[in-house]
Amino acid sequence: MGRIDMLEILRELLPFQHLSGESLASLSECFTTVELATDQNLFVQGDAADELYILISGQLHLLEGDAVRVHLKPISVLGELGAVMEGVVRNTTARAVGPCQVAMIPRDVLLGFIRNQPAAGVSILHDLVLLTADKVRRDEQRIVQMRYNIIRTQKAMKMLRDEVLSKPESELSDAFHTTLE
């Protein structure tokens, strides 16, 4: 991917869309691209988080263990916390669903850019906070939905158990009762 393409991608993304053309051009030169094959990991849960990534093409799964937590499609930003904070570790594994192209900028390069261009840096940091806050809000909504589903499931299981207990005993009711206890 050439610099001109990276410039266009950055122009559309929240962390960078408020930058001047000159700042965008300079920043676009700091990115490198990584090609991933199907099932190849971009990073692994527990790895040091010290890069910002942009999924340009293909799709990624963010996994917790073997469970898919998030399915990412282009164009997506990931790793925004690790891009600006030391000591952060990846809480998921990013694995390519098929062939992917990802742009990457190391933390030290991004922070160097921010130090050298403070006005652009303030804008980038502000927008990274907004992006992170949006992801936290979405996670909170998922947690609320999961709680609701757990409570609903527990109530349904209790009703099923009560129904089984109200019927004459059989081999089947014994198995249900044992399982539901």
Side-chain angles (χ1 to χ4, degrees), residues 163-179:
E163 182 67 23
V164 168
L165 290 174
S166 72
K167 303 295 181 199
E169 288 195 32
S170 70
E171 282 186 41
L172 188 56
S173 66
D174 285 343
F176 277 133
H177 183 265
T178 302
T179 302

Side-chain angles (χ1 to χ4, degrees), residues 13-55:
L13 289 173
L14 179 63
F16 313 110
Q17 66 188 13
H18 297 106
L19 300 183
S20 70
E22 185 178 309
S23 291
L24 274 174
S26 177
L27 183 62
S28 70
E29 293 175 2
C30 298
F31 279 84
T32 58
T33 56
V34 177
E35 303 285 335
L36 299 175
T38 303
D39 292 327
Q40 185 178 355
N41 292 335
L42 178 62
F43 53 78
V44 176
Q45 188 172 359
D47 283 354
D50 49 11
E51 299 94 11
L52 176 81
Y53 296 103
I54 301 171
L55 176 60

Side-chain angles (χ1 to χ4, degrees), residues 1-13 16 24-25 27-33 35 54-57 75 101-103:
M1 166 161 293
R3 186 181 74 72
I4 294 173
D5 293 331
M6 196 66 222
L7 184 64
E8 290 303 315
I9 289 167
L10 293 178
R11 192 181 316 271
E12 300 298 319
L13 289 173
F16 313 110
L24 274 174
L27 183 62
S28 70
E29 293 175 2
C30 298
F31 279 84
T32 58
T33 56
E35 303 285 335
I54 301 171
L55 176 60
I56 297 169
S57 66
I75 289 176
Q101 187 176 42
V102 179

Side-chain angles (χ1 to χ4, degrees), residues 88-161:
V88 176
V89 296
R90 304 286 181 200
N91 60 358
T92 59
T93 295
R95 183 171 298 149
V97 176
C100 291
Q101 187 176 42
V102 179
M104 184 270 298
I105 184 169
R107 178 190 322 110
D108 60 336
V109 174
L110 180 60
L111 292 178
F113 176 84
I114 289 170
R115 276 190 295 280
N116 291 332
Q117 297 198 30
V122 168
S123 178
I124 291 169
L125 293 173
H126 175 266
D127 289 348
L128 285 173
V129 168
L130 291 177
L131 184 64
T132 302
D134 183 55
K135 288 182 178 185
V136 168
R137 261 191 303 279
R138 282 184 278 151
D139 284 348
E140 286 173 342
Q141 290 171 345
R142 283 188 206 114
I143 289 169
V144 166
Q145 185 63 45
M146 287 177 9
R147 282 186 188 140
Y148 171 77
N149 289 340
I150 288 169
I151 291 168
R152 204 172 85 216
T153 301
Q154 288 173 332
K155 287 179 181 179
M157 289 178 67
K158 185 176 187 278
M159 288 173 47
L160 180 58
R161 187 195 71 198

Side-chain angles (χ1 to χ4, degrees), residues 60-76:
L60 290 171
H61 280 161
L62 297 183
L63 306 164
E64 286 181 350
D66 291 330
V68 176
R69 180 172 169 225
V70 178
H71 183 94
L72 292 175
K73 297 179 181 178
I75 289 176
S76 297

